[in-house]
Amino acid sequence: MLLRLSGICLGCTLEWVCDWHDPEQLEELLDLELRDSGESHDQLLSRVRDVAKYSVKTNHPRFFNQLFSGLDYHALAGRLLSETLNTSQFTYEMAPVFVLMEHVVLTKLISMVGWPSGDGLFCPGGSMSNMVAMNVARYHAFPQVKQQGLWALPRLAVFTSQECHYSVMKAAAFLGIGTDNVFHVKTDQSGSMDPQDLEVKIMLARSQGAVPFIVSATSGTTIRGAFDPLETIADICEKHCLWMHVDAALGGSVLFSKKHKHLVKGIERANSVTWNQHKMLTTGLQCSAFLVRDTANLLQKCHCASATYLFQKDKFYDMSLDTGDKTIQCSRKVDCLKLWLMWKAVGTKGLAERVERALSLTRFLAEAIKKREGFQLLSEPTFVNTCFWYIPPSLRGKENSDDYQDRLSKVAPAIKEKMVKEGTMMVGYQPLNGQVNFFRMIVVSPQTSQRDMDFCLDEIERLGKDL
Amino acid sequence: MLLRLSGICLGCTLEWVCDWHDPEQLEELLDLELRDSGESHDQLLSRVRDVAKYSVKTNHPRFFNQLFSGLDYHALAGRLLSETLNTSQFTYEMAPVFVLMEHVVLTKLISMVGWPSGDGLFCPGGSMSNMVAMNVARYHAFPQVKQQGLWALPRLAVFTSQECHYSVMKAAAFLGIGTDNVFHVKTDQSGSMDPQDLEVKIMLARSQGAVPFIVSATSGTTIRGAFDPLETIADICEKHCLWMHVDAALGGSVLFSKKHKHLVKGIERANSVTWNQHKMLTTGLQCSAFLVRDTANLLQKCHCASATYLFQKDKFYDMSLDTGDKTIQCSRKVDCLKLWLMWKAVGTKGLAERVERALSLTRFLAEAIKKREGFQLLSEPTFVNTCFWYIPPSLRGKENSDDYQDRLSKVAPAIKEKMVKEGTMMVGYQPLNGQVNFFRMIVVSPQTSQRDMDFCLDEIERLGKDL
């Protein structure tokens, strides 16, 4: 209870990260059933309060559970306005402000990637952006696929690292390419793609009769925050005439920082980039830019269906402004306003400072971990992901015992259960490449401070010391 | 000017539907450029006002341009709360309230479709729901496609009507099936699929060596609001062992009305259904339910990638609540709250009344059109879509002249340009099956009244009488 209260003293604006209840309990508390008749305003207000009360506070300074967290009030204002205006980003006629705004925002992002020009659109999440990348790359290599399907093509092969985001697999399945045709390239100790193994895998695919067409490199892997070596990968892609996609959903935002943009050196040689602003830039879900270097209207050609009720050819304005046919969606939410408004509010410099602050806080956390007994880094963080084990006193010095790994694997889940039930913080855990369950802290929220880092380590120790 | 003012007198809460500017003008008015430094609060507030001012007012009672319109304040409250909580619908741990709420809402929708049980999820729009349907149907018929891709399968064939939504084509292209493998079934005079021709097309596909696997029927076509004969289509699907999908994005909401649900008779025999609540039920974008009759975890099997950092197998709660792996997305916005809150507020009865009111207003509009000189219905509306020509005095009685069709085709675009530039109303137009440009009014907004119907016809006449 004392520690719970200290959570407030340390300057949290919200008391708890979450207010855990078992599903059965929560169902009872909420009364979710939908009935024939409506309810009074008072009842509705109390329902709204309950929905907020029992939801996880992703903007809490001690929420480190996902790749997004924190809250920017300007971005929130943009989101509330987008919802209120309730429009769809089909055409200039329907969304004049947002067609122009999306263009300005995407053009700015394109210039930050380092391309003189390009094209793009906002997709409903990074997985969708990565899927679109794979489709565009396929169409670019084999335009006949749109009409004739994959039966008209040789078997295709996709290359990505072992530590890529799982959306690459989902994309291969969904696009009819098949997950067996995704070749996983080895990673080095830090989690970056091994370019030598990429060459090996390209040869392997060819020897099996498959035709390589895309390499999906990662800038900021989901678990360890690793950056693939883009320059070398670009050389390989050029040599083999492969589409180079960079999944920079998490890591793209280092482009704001002079100090850290070296992490994505070579990104300007990519053919396409996924970059989620709802992660490090805290625009709120969803804001995922899919960018292509192409300037020959590839997105339009690849995705258009030319519906006559939306994209009439006899309109009175420049119909190239009707960008909706570049997407695979029909109705498409406005995702640019929240980013644009926040950018206007804090400027490019303000966003750069946030990125640098997040990396510096991560560095602080890693150093704190190194100093603490019972904490062990998985590897030095290069970005905003800190992966570490907490080793309770009962396990210390027993690294060589037979059941050590098995017992260690149960520590993170046990601590996670306790922290969620107490509601003091939230952090993720997972195994990776044969290494048993470890914590992964993601530090991106502008609301988070060094005191929160210390609190988290204290809290993990408090919850885990008797395990 | 007088007529502009009358717009206010007639009881609009908002003055104009849109405040049209050419793109060059609007760019200047908005100053969209993103700069190094941030701006003052006053500047930001004025920007927010401008964004609202120059955006189309989709909640205006005279906005009839798309399949969505109008505003429900409870749903809006739900949207604003969803944005503020900013969570993703991955897992129970992350979104306890919304995992349970989505389940309750989907279960209710499933029961309305007429299935004893089923599964589902909310997708980012109806196009995505239709794509997911095609993928699930493919996986159901050929589960090896997920790993091996389409090369392991015979050429597949998709069946849908000539008046289906264009997302069926986009889905076939994106999923690697190819648009050539979509067989378009003829429609009758009202725009409904001709089941005899469906049988013919199935035979045709087979004779070409393709394997039929899905029929995508439509309940409420985009242009004419036609309903395919689901009972007969279900018989054909059963006979040929085909997956029956119903794209009821627009029309599904008739399930609320005892009076009109006969339009989707047989929907309970479908294997899957797309139903957008952001259309007739005015939840706001996006709210598209994808529902499957399957109860053997097909969605999960078809889409899962089992990411260890999200869907850990050693969690302390029932992991079947971690529904995020059923989708092709990773981060997924919360789409259920807006619908749930509105439903709680007005009850099933309240939603039923809205649906009936919309159909009754459409009927009023159609009758008004029939009584007016110079207006001509394309066909009797069966739903909320009213398609009609306005024939200016200069063209009346000249139906047999050589250039009649050509001149008529220019009338709707010319009137549309005028109405958008004046901002008094918005309505769509398009050609269809060789019939030249006609207007399509969609009446779904609860803010719309009979006076608005009369106003619209007066306005079209005013803007077009001198053409």
Side-chain angles (χ1 to χ4, degrees):
Chain A
M1 189 59 193
L2 191 69
L3 265 154
R4 281 203 159 216
L5 284 173
S6 80
I8 308 167
C9 306
L10 284 166
C12 302
T13 47
L14 294 160
E15 199 172 347
W16 310 120
V17 180
C18 58
D19 185 358
W20 171 268
H21 293 273
D22 287 326
E24 299 73 23
Q25 276 183 311
L26 189 55
E27 265 178 345
E28 246 175 68
L29 285 166
L30 290 172
D31 174 28
L32 292 163
E33 203 189 321
L34 298 165
R35 302 190 178 85
D36 281 351
S37 299
E39 295 187 346
S40 70
H41 271 239
D42 282 349
Q43 263 181 307
L44 293 170
L45 273 173
S46 119
R47 295 198 179 283
V48 164
R49 272 191 289 268
D50 283 348
V51 165
K53 175 170 160 52
Y54 298 115
S55 286
V56 171
K57 309 301 177 292
T58 63
N59 60 344
H60 193 289
R62 290 170 194 160
F63 173 83
F64 306 97
N65 211 64
Q66 312 295 151
L67 303 183
F68 69 94
S69 65
L71 180 68
D72 178 279
Y73 291 99
H74 303 103
L76 180 61
R79 273 140 64 200
L80 301 185
L81 182 56
S82 303
E83 291 297 321
T84 307
L85 292 171
N86 190 37
T87 195
S88 173
Q89 189 113 21
F90 308 118
T91 58
Y92 184 75
E93 167 188 330
M94 263 303 292
V97 173
F98 302 124
V99 163
L100 298 181
M101 187 182 283
E102 187 177 52
H103 179 73
V104 167
V105 174
L106 291 171
T107 302
K108 187 80 178 173
L109 297 175
I110 283 166
S111 78
M112 289 179 73
V113 166
W115 298 331
S117 54
D119 199 0
L121 48 93
F122 284 100
C123 292
S127 292
M128 292 308 306
S129 293
N130 286 340
M131 256 188 212
V132 168
M134 204 180 280
N135 192 46
V136 169
R138 176 172 72 177
Y139 177 82
H140 180 253
F142 301 97
Q144 67 271 37
V145 70
K146 186 173 176 182
Q147 274 81 43
Q148 297 174 36
L150 284 171
W151 299 283
L153 271 53
R155 188 158 69 84
L156 300 179
V158 176
F159 302 85
T160 190
S161 94
Q162 282 174 337
E163 298 193 27
C164 75
H165 189 255
Y166 70 94
S167 55
V168 179
M169 300 295 275
K170 289 210 176 191
F174 200 69
L175 269 64
I177 290 168
T179 53
D180 286 353
N181 295 314
V182 179
F183 289 77
H184 287 283
V185 180
K186 283 184 202 159
T187 49
D188 66 15
Q189 282 201 325
S190 72
S192 302
M193 186 190 281
D194 170 1
Q196 278 193 311
D197 193 55
L198 174 58
E199 290 259 27
V200 170
K201 292 287 160 42
I202 291 171
M203 295 308 157
L204 177 67
R206 288 210 171 119
S207 74
Q208 295 174 355
V211 174
F213 79 108
I214 186 173
V215 176
S216 182
T218 314
S219 291
T221 58
T222 309
I223 299 179
R224 292 206 272 170
F227 286 77
D228 290 347
L230 301 183
E231 287 283 16
T232 322
I233 292 170
D235 290 340
I236 296 170
C237 286
E238 270 175 26
K239 180 176 148 193
H240 295 279
C241 291
L242 305 180
W243 183 277
M244 177 174 165
H245 174 63
V246 179
D247 174 4
L250 179 56
S253 297
V254 298
L255 285 163
F256 277 94
S257 160
K258 283 190 187 126
K259 194 170 161 193
H260 300 295
K261 65 189 289 186
H262 68 89
L263 289 166
V264 292
K265 195 163 175 288
I267 197 168
E268 72 284 357
R269 296 174 65 191
N271 299 93
S272 59
V273 170
T274 292
W275 177 2
N276 288 8
Q277 289 73 32
H278 67 233
K279 294 191 162 83
M280 277 200 83
L281 300 185
T282 65
T283 60
L285 294 167
Q286 288 179 334
C287 195
S288 174
F290 172 68
L291 309 172
V292 278
R293 199 172 59 190
D294 163 87
T295 54
N297 223 4
L298 183 64
L299 272 180
Q300 173 79 18
K301 288 179 210 155
C302 178
H303 294 140
C304 74
S306 307
T308 53
Y309 73 98
L310 269 179
F311 308 109
Q312 298 92 333
K313 299 290 176 208
D314 46 11
K315 281 185 180 174
F316 63 92
Y317 60 84
D318 172 8
M319 282 160 287
S320 74
L321 293 165
D322 289 354
T323 51
D325 215 16
K326 287 184 184 179
T327 84
I328 55 166
Q329 298 184 273
C330 178
S331 287
R332 188 163 65 96
K333 281 183 77 81
V334 170
D335 289 332
C336 57
L337 174 58
K338 50 198 165 197
L339 175 57
W340 179 84
L341 193 59
M342 180 177 72
W343 206 322
K344 279 285 193 191
V346 304
T348 310
K349 278 189 214 161
L351 295 175
E353 278 163 23
R354 277 192 205 175
V355 170
E356 295 185 354
R357 187 174 178 281
L359 272 93
S360 140
L361 259 183
T362 308
R363 179 52 37 210
F364 174 88
L365 175 65
E367 295 306 322
I369 286 172
K370 285 197 247 179
K371 282 183 212 140
R372 286 210 180 205
E373 205 187 341
F375 284 80
Q376 192 185 321
L377 281 176
L378 194 81
S379 52
E380 277 296 331
T382 44
F383 190 40
V384 292
N385 312 39
T386 308
C387 296
F388 62 93
W389 288 281
Y390 170 69
I391 297 146
S394 67
L395 279 178
R396 292 179 201 163
K398 301 198 174 141
E399 291 76 6
N400 298 322
S401 70
D402 285 350
D403 61 351
Y404 179 81
Q405 292 297 329
D406 186 50
R407 287 174 66 192
L408 182 58
S409 76
K410 295 187 172 104
V411 172
I415 294 175
K416 176 67 178 267
E417 176 172 358
K418 286 183 178 193
M419 77 170 69
V420 167
K421 286 186 172 169
E422 294 204 14
T424 49
M425 62 178 281
M426 279 180 79
V427 57
Y429 72 84
Q430 65 285 300
L432 181 73
N433 302 339
Q435 289 174 298
V436 299
N437 281 325
F438 52 85
F439 288 114
R440 180 201 63 169
M441 293 257 297
I442 303 289
V443 180
V444 293
S445 164
Q447 275 82 36
T448 296
S449 68
Q450 292 188 352
R451 291 168 89 175
D452 295 307
M453 302 293 107
D454 287 331
F455 175 91
C456 290
L457 299 183
D458 288 344
E459 187 67 357
I460 287 174
E461 202 163 339
R462 181 180 76 84
L463 298 168
K465 67 179 188 298
D466 297 328
L467 292 174
Chain B
M1 189 61 194
L2 191 67
L3 266 153
R4 281 203 159 215
L5 285 172
S6 80
I8 308 167
C9 305
L10 283 166
C12 302
T13 47
L14 294 159
E15 198 174 346
W16 309 121
V17 180
C18 58
D19 184 359
W20 171 266
H21 294 272
D22 287 326
E24 298 73 23
Q25 276 183 312
L26 189 55
E27 264 178 346
E28 247 176 67
L29 286 167
L30 290 172
D31 174 27
L32 292 163
E33 203 190 321
L34 298 165
R35 301 190 178 85
D36 282 351
S37 300
E39 296 187 345
S40 70
H41 270 241
D42 281 350
Q43 262 181 306
L44 292 170
L45 273 173
S46 119
R47 294 198 179 284
V48 164
R49 273 191 290 265
D50 283 348
V51 165
K53 175 171 161 49
Y54 298 116
S55 287
V56 171
K57 309 300 177 293
T58 62
N59 61 344
H60 193 290
R62 289 168 195 161
F63 173 82
F64 306 97
N65 211 63
Q66 313 294 152
L67 301 184
F68 69 95
S69 64
L71 180 68
D72 178 278
Y73 291 99
H74 303 102
L76 179 60
R79 273 141 64 199
L80 301 185
L81 183 56
S82 303
E83 291 296 321
T84 308
L85 293 170
N86 189 37
T87 198
S88 172
Q89 189 113 20
F90 308 118
T91 59
Y92 184 73
E93 168 188 329
M94 264 304 292
V97 173
F98 303 122
V99 163
L100 298 181
M101 188 183 282
E102 188 178 50
H103 179 74
V104 167
V105 174
L106 291 171
T107 303
K108 188 79 179 176
L109 297 175
I110 284 167
S111 78
M112 290 178 73
V113 166
W115 299 331
S117 56
D119 199 358
L121 49 94
F122 284 100
C123 293
S127 292
M128 291 308 306
S129 292
N130 286 341
M131 256 187 214
V132 167
M134 204 180 281
N135 192 45
V136 168
R138 176 171 71 175
Y139 177 82
H140 181 253
F142 301 97
Q144 68 270 37
V145 70
K146 186 174 177 182
Q147 274 80 42
Q148 297 174 36
L150 284 171
W151 299 282
L153 270 55
R155 190 157 70 84
L156 300 178
V158 176
F159 302 84
T160 190
S161 93
Q162 282 174 336
E163 298 193 28
C164 75
H165 189 255
Y166 70 93
S167 56
V168 178
M169 300 296 274
K170 289 210 177 195
F174 200 69
L175 269 64
I177 290 168
T179 53
D180 285 354
N181 295 313
V182 179
F183 289 77
H184 287 283
V185 180
K186 282 183 201 162
T187 50
D188 66 15
Q189 283 202 323
S190 72
S192 302
M193 187 190 280
D194 170 1
Q196 278 194 311
D197 192 55
L198 173 59
E199 291 258 26
V200 170
K201 292 288 160 42
I202 290 171
M203 294 310 159
L204 176 67
R206 287 211 171 117
S207 74
Q208 295 175 355
V211 175
F213 79 108
I214 186 173
V215 176
S216 183
T218 315
S219 291
T221 57
T222 310
I223 299 179
R224 291 206 274 171
F227 287 76
D228 289 347
L230 301 184
E231 288 282 17
T232 323
I233 292 170
D235 291 341
I236 296 170
C237 285
E238 269 174 28
K239 179 177 151 195
H240 296 278
C241 290
L242 305 181
W243 183 278
M244 176 175 167
H245 174 64
V246 179
D247 175 3
L250 178 57
S253 297
V254 297
L255 284 163
F256 277 93
S257 160
K258 284 192 186 124
K259 193 171 163 193
H260 299 295
K261 66 189 287 186
H262 67 91
L263 288 166
V264 291
K265 195 163 177 286
I267 196 168
E268 72 285 355
R269 296 175 65 191
N271 298 94
S272 59
V273 169
T274 292
W275 176 3
N276 289 7
Q277 288 74 32
H278 68 232
K279 292 190 163 85
M280 277 200 83
L281 300 185
T282 65
T283 59
L285 294 167
Q286 289 178 330
C287 196
S288 173
F290 172 69
L291 309 171
V292 277
R293 197 173 60 191
D294 162 86
T295 54
N297 223 6
L298 182 63
L299 272 181
Q300 173 79 19
K301 288 180 210 157
C302 178
H303 293 139
C304 75
S306 307
T308 54
Y309 74 97
L310 269 178
F311 308 109
Q312 297 92 333
K313 299 290 176 208
D314 46 12
K315 282 186 180 172
F316 63 92
Y317 61 83
D318 173 6
M319 282 159 288
S320 73
L321 293 164
D322 290 353
T323 50
D325 216 15
K326 287 185 185 178
T327 83
I328 55 165
Q329 299 184 273
C330 178
S331 287
R332 189 163 64 96
K333 281 183 77 82
V334 169
D335 289 333
C336 57
L337 174 57
K338 51 199 165 198
L339 175 57
W340 179 83
L341 194 60
M342 180 177 71
W343 205 322
K344 279 285 192 192
V346 305
T348 310
K349 279 189 212 160
L351 295 176
E353 278 163 21
R354 278 192 204 174
V355 170
E356 295 184 355
R357 187 175 179 279
L359 272 94
S360 139
L361 259 183
T362 308
R363 179 50 38 212
F364 175 87
L365 175 66
E367 295 306 322
I369 285 172
K370 285 197 250 180
K371 281 182 213 141
R372 286 209 180 207
E373 205 189 339
F375 285 80
Q376 192 185 322
L377 281 176
L378 195 82
S379 52
E380 277 296 331
T382 44
F383 190 39
V384 292
N385 312 38
T386 308
C387 297
F388 62 93
W389 289 279
Y390 170 68
I391 297 145
S394 66
L395 279 177
R396 292 178 202 163
K398 304 198 173 140
E399 291 76 6
N400 298 324
S401 70
D402 286 349
D403 61 352
Y404 179 81
Q405 292 297 331
D406 185 48
R407 287 174 66 192
L408 182 59
S409 75
K410 295 187 173 104
V411 171
I415 294 175
K416 176 68 178 267
E417 175 172 357
K418 287 183 178 194
M419 76 171 68
V420 168
K421 287 186 171 168
E422 295 203 14
T424 48
M425 63 178 280
M426 278 180 79
V427 58
Y429 73 86
Q430 65 285 299
L432 181 74
N433 301 340
Q435 289 174 300
V436 299
N437 282 324
F438 52 86
F439 288 113
R440 180 202 63 167
M441 293 256 297
I442 303 290
V443 180
V444 293
S445 164
Q447 275 83 37
T448 297
S449 68
Q450 293 187 354
R451 290 169 88 175
D452 295 307
M453 303 292 108
D454 287 331
F455 175 90
C456 289
L457 299 183
D458 288 344
E459 187 67 358
I460 287 174
E461 201 163 339
R462 180 181 75 85
L463 298 168
K465 67 178 188 299
D466 298 327
L467 290 174

